[in-house]
Amino acid sequence: MKIIKARDYEDMSRKAANIISAQVILKPDSVLGLATGSSPVGIYRQLIDWYHKEDIDFARCRTVNLDEYVGLTPDNQQSYAYFMHQNFFDHINIPAENIHIPHGDNRDAEAECRWYNGVIRALGGIDLQLLGIGLNGHIGFNEPGAAFEKETHCVRLTQSTIDANARFFGPGETVPTHAYTMGIKSIMGARKILLIANGKAKADILYETVCGAITPAVPASVLQLHNDVTIVADQEALSKMPGELIR
Ligand code: GLP
């Protein structure tokens, strides 16, 4: 794993955006695996800025998102589809038909997951997968205990994830309890992985991910087995990381 240290959130976002930008410049029809959460917002902001400056062109890019809450329609402000449009897609020139996100409003979990696995396959796999990391080591919505061999599936969220994500929901809004998520196998199938993390709260889990045992108890630890992972994290998130592992 390559570990790159950033000063702060802005610096992390710029460094990670540079990696995504290089991917798109080198391969304009790249399949980008995208993520939600607060971590990637700065990356999307930076990429939008470079798009406006005509430094980067998304016309031929295809995207697949990691996950979506079950039960939410794309126009629900809490859905990841809404998030992606607000924070990224509506501000760049990616054609709508190139965007893929699991349909949270499809209650037929089996059909939805089968469809999504087919989409990833038909696109020829993911060139670069962007990942955030949950406080318990989840990637996408693969919670601790998730089997490493799963592709897209429906998961029941852990209470800690429901609590962590409750901050995005207003008073009176129920936080969904289930999600469709790419599985560990789908994520590990990406040719390159870019994991981002910032803030003190992520320091322990980032250490576990890189230096701990490879175990489903820490889903992100499986990334130790992937041959092209880059971690871009700020100094707070890297505060527990042995210095010799950082570039
Ligand atoms: C959610 C998303 C994950 C994300 C995680 C961390 O659970 N499903 O993909 O990595 O949150 O979120 P944040 O970046 O806000 O810390």
Side-chain angles (χ1 to χ4, degrees):
M1 291 188 183
K2 302 187 241 338
I3 304 179
I4 297 169
K5 187 177 190 165
R7 281 186 306 281
D8 51 21
Y9 181 77
E10 284 309 312
D11 190 33
M12 174 196 80
S13 302
R14 218 167 28 247
K15 284 182 161 68
N18 261 303
I19 293 171
I20 296 174
S21 167
Q23 172 69 40
V24 174
I25 289 168
L26 290 168
K27 188 179 178 204
D29 62 347
S30 285
V31 177
L32 301 177
L34 298 178
T36 52
S38 53
S39 307
V41 172
I43 296 179
Y44 297 142
R45 215 182 291 135
Q46 181 64 77
L47 290 173
I48 292 166
D49 182 47
W50 287 335
Y51 164 70
H52 286 308
K53 291 178 171 147
E54 297 185 9
D55 286 341
I56 181 167
D57 179 6
F58 295 97
R60 292 167 59 200
C61 275
R62 285 82 51 80
T63 65
V64 282
N65 258 79
L66 276 172
D67 47 13
E68 179 58 285
Y69 289 118
V70 174
L72 302 190
T73 51
D75 59 346
N76 184 309
Q77 298 199 5
Q78 304 302 341
S79 73
Y80 283 166
Y82 190 90
F83 173 100
M84 288 306 301
H85 282 276
Q86 285 284 109
N87 286 288
F88 194 36
F89 297 143
D90 289 355
H91 310 281
I92 58 169
N93 64 335
I94 186 165
E97 63 273 21
N98 290 10
I99 296 169
H100 306 91
I101 304 176
H103 302 107
D105 51 350
N106 184 357
R107 290 289 185 172
D108 184 343
E110 212 195 296
E112 184 60 26
C113 297
R114 198 178 332 110
W115 170 76
Y116 207 61
N117 290 330
V119 164
I120 297 171
R121 236 167 258 134
L123 290 171
I126 300 164
D127 289 304
L128 175 65
Q129 178 65 54
L130 175 64
L131 294 177
I133 181 167
L135 291 173
N136 60 8
H138 74 244
I139 46 178
F141 266 136
N142 294 279
E143 297 281 25
F148 285 165
E149 71 274 13
K150 282 199 182 157
E151 295 186 295
T152 310
H153 59 291
C154 181
V155 286
R156 189 187 176 83
L157 303 177
T158 63
Q159 196 55 47
S160 90
T161 299
I162 294 172
D163 294 345
N165 290 341
R167 68 199 144 112
F168 297 112
F169 289 76
E173 286 181 315
T174 19
V175 189
T177 53
H178 289 76
Y180 295 134
T181 183
M182 276 189 209
I184 297 284
K185 186 176 172 189
S186 336
I187 293 171
M188 290 295 279
R191 290 182 267 285
K192 287 178 200 281
I193 292 178
L194 173 59
L195 178 101
I196 50 164
N198 67 288
K200 263 198 204 70
K202 299 277 171 80
D204 285 324
I205 197 62
L206 205 54
Y207 172 81
E208 282 288 303
T209 296
V210 175
C211 302
I214 299 170
T215 162
V218 181
S221 66
V222 74
L223 299 175
Q224 293 178 37
L225 299 174
H226 193 283
N227 65 8
D228 195 345
V229 176
T230 303
I231 298 177
V232 181
D234 72 350
Q235 43 195 352
E236 288 189 353
L238 288 174
S239 55
K240 302 267 166 78
M241 199 65 72
E244 64 273 19
L245 297 182
I246 302 171
R247 302 212 152 203

